[in-house]
Amino acid sequence: MSHPIRIPHSEAIQRLIDGNLRFVNGIRSAENLMAHTKIAELASKGQNPFAVVLTCSDSRSPAEIIFDQGLGDLFVVRVAGNVVAPSLLASIEFAVSNLGSSAIVVLGHSLCGAIQATIQHLQDPGNELPSPHLEELIGRIRPAVKAAEKTHNPQAVDFVHHATLANIERSRRLILEQSKIIRDHHDQGKVSIEGALLDIATGKVAFLGDT
Ligand SMILES: [Zn+2]
């Protein structure tokens, strides 16, 4: 696909909002449920996902399901804690520059184990982490938790919520700061980069905007 269609980013976000509303209300789009009928066409004509979703690997936050989208609709990048790292950034860049995606959504969620582990480790740094890989991951979340500590009491029950929001915002900002390709698309109004928070208990997604 040499010139993929790029819909306005406001339309892309609206599709996600509408899809999440269907999901929350227990309704599924018949077209998306019949997505297998599009498989041959998608293979021959190429993919044109309208949005990129950077989300957590948590089994309760599958983007296609909670936004009620079908085959070929979303380019999903999943990693525990929805962090930004070079290979993940390259994946987002590919979708934006080659596939015509017009919205990038950083989707965090409540009850995130990666955020909770980072908070726990900061409060008890003597407790050695079980692997260097987890250390690397937590190292990417730690700055967001520390930022949240400046404005919220880390001992309060809702601190994990504020740390989750700070982590979403940090990933959003890092995408812009670290990728010239995405920054250029963003400056030209071709893509928006929005934070969003999924409430695991209800399935509802709150969009936090592109500021
Ligand atoms: Zn998570």
Side-chain angles (χ1 to χ4, degrees), residues 11-190:
E11 194 185 321
I13 295 296
Q14 194 57 51
R15 282 193 199 178
L16 296 175
I17 292 171
D18 293 347
N20 182 241
L21 202 61
R22 287 195 298 275
F23 172 68
V24 168
N25 290 315
I27 305 162
R28 304 301 302 273
S29 147
E31 193 193 333
N32 295 337
L33 286 172
M34 296 294 287
H36 57 278
T37 58
K38 293 197 295 184
I39 199 160
E41 190 191 339
L42 280 166
S44 62
K45 290 188 179 166
Q47 57 171 328
N48 182 207
F50 69 86
V52 181
V53 184
L54 169 64
T55 187
C56 185
S57 301
D58 194 297
S59 63
R60 300 162 294 181
S61 69
E64 292 89 343
I65 294 179
I66 59 143
F67 288 124
D68 187 32
Q69 299 299 318
L71 207 62
D73 288 334
L74 301 180
F75 193 91
V76 182
V77 181
R78 292 185 76 170
V79 57
N82 40 274
V83 297
V84 171
S87 51
L88 309 172
L89 210 44
S91 306
I92 301 171
E93 287 174 343
F94 175 69
V96 167
S97 50
N98 296 4
L99 307 179
S101 303
S102 60
I104 302 168
V105 177
V106 176
L107 180 68
H109 67 96
S110 59
L111 307 174
C112 182
I115 307 280
Q116 288 166 340
T118 307
I119 294 172
Q120 218 164 25
H121 188 62
L122 270 169
Q123 289 174 352
D124 187 11
N127 205 348
E128 208 175 305
L129 292 167
S131 93
H133 311 117
L134 182 58
E135 239 170 69
E136 196 267 356
L137 177 65
I138 279 181
R140 293 187 188 277
I141 300 173
R142 191 182 292 118
V145 176
K146 283 193 162 292
E149 278 179 349
K150 287 184 186 146
T151 45
H152 296 90
N153 175 9
Q155 305 303 328
V157 276
D158 66 348
F159 181 70
V160 63
H161 170 71
H162 296 293
T164 302
L165 290 177
N167 186 56
I168 292 168
E169 178 52 24
R170 179 175 151 80
S171 287
R172 211 186 68 77
R173 196 166 42 74
L174 288 179
I175 291 169
L176 265 176
E177 281 176 12
Q178 296 183 352
S179 169
K180 183 176 181 331
I181 293 174
I182 295 169
R183 200 162 56 244
D184 287 349
H185 279 77
H186 186 256
D187 289 350
Q188 293 162 17
K190 291 178 181 169

